[in-house]
């Protein structure tokens, strides 16, 4: 990295969320883009070494909320294309790593600005809404605002890192040369957030790294828009290479390559643990110890103290558990509610649920859309069937599943008498909220149970007005959540405001969209330069008089 020695970049502002109310220009433009996307069947190539790559092995992209509708096809690759992507990345590395940081930064700042122009925000919202079955608001906060924020804030954080330099006594100049990693980075992204898909390859790349990016097969429509965005912003060929291959196919090449330098992963815990193990088994192959950064699953809680306001709790639960069909790693999926407040909170939630509309995202009045695919639908309906049969739990709302047209699972509330019930422990990744009602005088004991029930440690909330109760929860649940909310829902972290990530089974807690994450993609070299080198080996103490 050659620095200019002048690192000032203004602090960015979070991209404002457009509201898409009836009659607004943004709504008219977006409806038109959705209509156009619905009329065609796009064909999506991979993107390697700055070029579109077609294999002829076409795989369908179907709308989750209308599975008879084919939105397009993508070209699936195999191991040869993964090798090609690695070669392209390694060939681009030297030039990109030695490019002045301002040039690298400007590519991503430009990408953020392009994304906020109508041509791109309509495209990326239409792709996210139809491809991932997201309503317009959920898509806007993800695909446009959060992605633009990731790009702009990371540039700012990058300059803060470069600015971190050691002291130099007179006659000496000490400096840290913030080198990118020696090799290539493998970015593996999940289906549920378009912004994460954009952030995982771009964060290491802006620091001078080169990347092979494997998106989820369920997010390819919007992943392509991101790739076009980076290309149009001037990203040089080979810096980020996008391959469409099944995970294990990519893994068989990447984790056996001596230049593998790190993985930037978001997805399920199980897959991450498998990846970590494979890297461990192959550790002798690599030129460097690879960086392993992974954000994974959650079993996120809302804990309610008797001093809380019931309507604040019910709104947090409704939004936190059911927005985007509960397919957020941060989604509230277990709640601990005191007996005294339960009847009121339950009634408020049931009232809200009765007003929910479920259907395709192209109809803006639908709050709930479909879950991502048939595998998710089958998994979630099996969970609901199991709960229906068991005595320790009752389904008090929802529970209907229908895949005739799309993969629809009704937002479901489960009441259990067992705080360690499987539905209080396991991640389902769908619209299922399990509630345990505790005796008001067992607050502390129930906090203890909450802390020990699940293997995860991602997000969680405490609702209370009693300050001592808030403090107790904060202490007892110290490691139960990497993102802890007081009187707020556990979802909706904003870049620059709540750096995101969890520990325990939820990941390496490297806080996406922060300095902490960017540090993982750098390997500093300490340089000492002596302006007046000594010319004799003798020290003053050795003199005789
Ligand atoms: P997933 O684990 O099915 O897939 C994630 C990615 O891993 C995909 O690109 C997939 O193709 C790839 N993959 C699968 N097997 C692989 C292998 N053997 N080698 C390499 N790559 C492989 O997850 P998903 O369904 O896309 O996403 C949902 C999961 O992601 C949930 O568990 C959720 O909690 C988690 N998530 C976590 C965060 C976070 O920040 N903590 C954010 C979003 C999603």
């Amino acid at each position: 990295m050659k620095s200019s020695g002048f690192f000032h970049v203004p602090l960015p502002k979070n991209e404002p969320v457009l509201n898409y109310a009836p009659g607004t220009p943004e709504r008219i433009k977006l409806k038109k883009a959705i209509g156009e996307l619905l009329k065609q069947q796009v064909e999506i190539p991979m993107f390697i070494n700055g070029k579109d790559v077609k294999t002829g092995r076409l795989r369908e992209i179907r709308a989750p909320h209308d599975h008879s509708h084919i939105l397009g096809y993508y070209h699936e690759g195999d191991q040869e294309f993964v090798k090609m992507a690695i070669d392209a990345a390694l060939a681009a590395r030297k030039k990109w790593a030695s490019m002045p940081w301002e040039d690298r930064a400007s590519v991503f700042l430009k990408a953020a600005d392009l994304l906020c122009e109508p041509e791109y925000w309509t495209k990326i919202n239409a792709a996210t809404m139809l491809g991932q079955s997201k309503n317009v608001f959920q898509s806007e906060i993800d695909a446009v605002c959060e992605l633009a924020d990731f790009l702009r804030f990371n540039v700012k954080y990058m300059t803060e890192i470069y600015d971190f330099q050691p002291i130099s006594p007179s006659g000496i100049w000490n400096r840290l040369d913030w080198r990118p990693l020696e090799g290539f980075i493998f970015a593996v992204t999940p289906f549920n957030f378009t912004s994460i898909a954009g952030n995982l390859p771009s964060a290491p790349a802006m620091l001078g790294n080169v990347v092979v990016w494997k998106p989820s097969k369920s997010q390819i429509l919007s992943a392509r828009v991101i790739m076009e965005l980076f290309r149009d912003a001037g990203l040089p060929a080979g810096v980020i290479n996008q391959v469409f291959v099944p995970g294990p196919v990519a893994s068989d090449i990447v984790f056996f390559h001596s230049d593998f330098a790190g993985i930037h992963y978001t997805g399920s815990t199980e897959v991450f643990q498998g990846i970590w193990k494979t890297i461990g088994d192959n550790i002798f192959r690599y030129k460097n110890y690879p960086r392993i950064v992974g954000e994974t699953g959650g079993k996120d809680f809302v804990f309610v103290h008797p001093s809380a306001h019931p309507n604040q709790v019910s709104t947090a639960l409704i939004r936190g558990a059911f927005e985007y069909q509960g397919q957020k790693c941060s989604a509230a999926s277990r709640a601990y509610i005191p007996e005294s407040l339960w009847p009121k909170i339950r009634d408020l939630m049931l009232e809200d649920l009765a007003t929910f509309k479920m259907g395709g995202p192209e109809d803006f009045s639908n709050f709930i859309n479909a879950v991502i695919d048939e595998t998710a639908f089958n998994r979630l309906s099996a969970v609901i069937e199991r709960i229906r049969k068991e005595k320790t739990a009752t389904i008090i709302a929802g529970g209907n599943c229908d895949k005739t047209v799309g993969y629809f699972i009704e937002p479901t509330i489960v009441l259990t008498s067992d705080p360690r019930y499987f539905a209080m422990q396991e991640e389902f990744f769908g619209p299922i909220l399990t509630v345990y009602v505790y005796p008001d005088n067992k607050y502390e004991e129930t906090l203890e149970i909450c802390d020990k029930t699940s293997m995860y440690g991602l997000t969680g909330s405490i609702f209370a007005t009693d300050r001592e109760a808030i403090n107790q929860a904060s202490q007892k649940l110290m490691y139960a959540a990497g993102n802890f909310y007081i009187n707020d829902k556990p979802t909706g972290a904003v870049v620059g405001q709540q750096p995101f990530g969890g520990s325990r089974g939820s990941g390496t807690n490297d806080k996406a969209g922060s300095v902490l994450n960017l540090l993982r993609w750098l390997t500093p070299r300490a340089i000492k330069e002596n302006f007046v080198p000594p010319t004799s080996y003798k020290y003053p103490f050795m003199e005789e008089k």
Side-chain angles (χ1 to χ4, degrees):
M1 193 280 300
K2 276 209 175 62
S3 76
S4 70
F6 178 66
F7 301 109
H8 185 69
V9 167
L11 187 67
K13 287 199 173 71
N14 291 113
E15 181 63 21
V17 182
L18 298 177
N19 76 30
Y20 297 92
T24 52
E26 64 262 24
R27 185 176 173 116
I28 295 163
K29 286 193 180 98
L30 181 55
K31 285 248 173 188
K32 189 163 165 259
I34 291 172
E36 277 161 14
L37 196 54
L38 281 171
K39 268 189 261 153
Q40 43 175 314
Q41 290 187 333
V42 290
E43 192 184 313
I44 303 182
M46 294 186 285
F47 192 78
I48 301 173
N49 205 16
K51 291 192 193 73
D52 288 344
V53 175
K54 298 184 175 181
T55 64
R57 280 195 298 281
L58 293 176
R59 301 282 179 258
E60 290 167 351
I61 302 173
R62 289 174 182 264
H65 44 274
D66 179 8
H67 47 60
S68 65
H69 187 104
I70 297 178
L71 293 161
Y73 299 87
Y74 67 90
H75 286 261
E76 190 183 60
D78 57 23
Q79 296 190 337
E80 286 315 305
F81 294 91
V82 179
K83 284 185 197 153
M84 200 192 276
I86 295 173
D87 291 346
L90 292 174
R93 192 183 166 277
K94 201 167 164 214
K95 239 182 175 174
W96 179 243
S98 58
M99 192 179 265
W101 71 266
E102 296 92 330
D103 294 284
R104 285 188 270 111
S106 75
V107 169
F108 295 101
L109 291 175
K110 179 168 178 174
D113 280 9
L114 282 179
L115 178 62
C116 299
E117 290 293 316
E119 186 199 333
Y120 262 108
W121 64 247
T122 50
K123 245 200 225 179
I124 206 158
N125 271 330
T128 301
M129 290 171 71
L130 297 180
Q132 291 142 262
S133 203
K134 242 179 211 209
N135 73 32
V136 60
F137 179 72
Q138 292 298 314
S139 177
E140 169 76 9
I141 57 173
D142 163 23
V144 181
C145 302
E146 190 171 22
L147 180 49
D149 287 353
F150 271 134
L151 296 168
R152 292 176 178 141
F153 279 84
N154 277 344
V155 166
K156 173 70 184 162
Y157 298 140
M158 169 171 86
T159 62
E160 287 174 4
I161 295 175
Y162 291 164
D163 216 12
F164 180 76
Q165 293 294 331
I167 55 164
S168 298
S170 68
I172 300 286
W173 187 16
N174 293 320
R175 48 201 193 266
L176 279 180
D177 177 10
W178 287 102
R179 301 170 303 179
L181 302 186
E182 190 185 14
F184 69 93
I185 308 294
F186 185 34
V188 179
T189 57
F191 78 83
N192 65 335
F193 277 98
T194 303
S195 55
I196 295 178
N199 183 45
L200 267 49
S202 63
M206 72 175 60
L207 297 157
N209 291 287
V210 289
V211 181
V212 174
W213 170 25
K214 195 212 82 58
S216 158
K217 70 177 182 340
S218 310
Q219 187 258 331
I220 285 178
L221 209 55
S222 59
R224 171 64 186 184
V225 183
I226 296 170
M227 204 62 252
E228 289 172 358
L229 177 72
F230 292 158
R231 180 199 63 198
D232 292 353
L235 188 73
V239 172
I240 296 178
N241 304 277
Q242 188 181 56
V243 293
F244 304 143
V245 292
V249 170
S251 292
D252 279 352
I253 300 299
V254 168
F255 300 133
F256 291 79
H257 199 292
S258 58
D259 289 303
F260 167 62
I263 177 160
H264 203 189
Y265 171 88
T266 298
S268 61
T269 303
E270 195 189 349
V271 169
F272 186 52
Q273 292 187 350
I275 286 173
W276 196 304
K277 187 170 181 312
T278 310
I279 294 171
D281 289 345
N282 286 293
I283 200 70
F284 60 92
R285 295 180 194 274
Y286 311 131
K287 289 184 189 149
N288 289 272
Y289 292 104
R291 301 286 165 91
I292 305 178
V293 175
E295 294 302 330
T296 74
K299 186 71 190 175
D300 309 298
F301 59 85
V302 169
F303 205 106
V304 183
H305 182 260
S307 66
H309 289 298
N311 51 355
Q312 293 176 359
V313 173
S314 74
T315 303
L317 284 171
I318 287 285
R319 285 186 169 173
F322 300 129
E323 281 184 314
Y324 193 40
Q325 298 76 260
Q327 298 172 117
K328 298 188 184 188
C329 50
S330 55
S333 59
R334 53 180 169 137
Y336 300 81
I337 301 183
E339 266 167 358
S340 58
L341 298 188
W342 172 236
K344 180 75 183 156
I345 292 171
R346 178 197 58 211
D347 292 351
L348 288 167
M349 283 201 290
L350 295 182
E351 253 173 55
D352 277 348
L353 281 184
T355 66
F356 276 17
K357 271 191 72 192
M358 188 158 75
E362 63 273 35
D363 175 350
F364 283 21
S365 65
N366 290 325
F367 182 60
I368 302 292
N369 311 117
V371 298
I372 193 70
D373 58 18
E374 190 165 20
T375 309
F377 178 91
N378 291 343
R379 188 186 67 239
L380 292 163
S381 42
V383 166
I384 290 173
E385 268 326 293
R386 173 173 168 191
I387 293 171
R388 232 189 262 291
K389 288 189 192 128
E390 290 180 343
K391 290 207 173 62
T392 38
T394 324
I395 293 173
I396 62 162
N400 295 312
C401 311
D402 185 348
K403 61 174 173 183
T404 335
V405 177
Y407 303 113
F408 291 104
I409 305 271
E410 238 179 7
T412 300
I413 302 179
V414 177
L415 183 65
T416 181
S417 54
D418 174 6
R420 293 182 183 84
Y421 188 50
F422 87 104
M424 296 293 284
Q425 294 193 37
E426 293 173 22
E427 182 185 55
F428 299 142
F429 217 57
I432 304 174
L433 169 69
T434 309
V435 176
Y436 170 68
V437 176
Y438 71 89
D440 283 39
N441 61 359
K442 295 264 191 281
Y443 179 64
E444 274 195 71
E445 294 89 321
T446 316
L447 283 174
E448 188 81 30
I449 292 172
C450 175
D451 184 46
K452 302 246 152 61
T453 301
S454 152
M455 67 176 282
Y456 298 106
L458 193 52
T459 75
S461 306
I462 172 70
F463 276 81
T465 52
D466 177 330
R467 198 68 223 179
E468 184 46 34
I470 294 171
N471 179 38
Q472 271 177 320
S474 177
Q475 294 300 325
K476 271 251 184 303
L477 302 172
M478 174 77 74
Y479 289 95
N483 282 62
F484 187 64
Y485 294 82
I486 301 171
N487 292 319
D488 207 345
K489 65 183 168 60
T491 57
V494 176
V495 178
Q497 298 190 32
Q498 299 95 21
F500 191 79
S503 51
R504 293 188 176 164
S506 292
T508 53
N509 198 19
D510 286 298
K511 299 294 186 203
S514 80
V515 154
L516 301 171
N517 177 283
L518 298 190
L519 280 169
R520 302 298 310 274
W521 311 116
L522 291 164
T523 183
R525 173 170 66 151
I527 299 176
K528 174 187 176 185
E529 182 170 353
N530 197 338
F531 294 140
V532 195
T535 49
S536 160
Y537 85 94
K538 288 184 178 160
Y539 294 103
F541 76 87
M542 297 160 75
E543 285 168 22
E544 295 208 346
K545 284 191 207 147

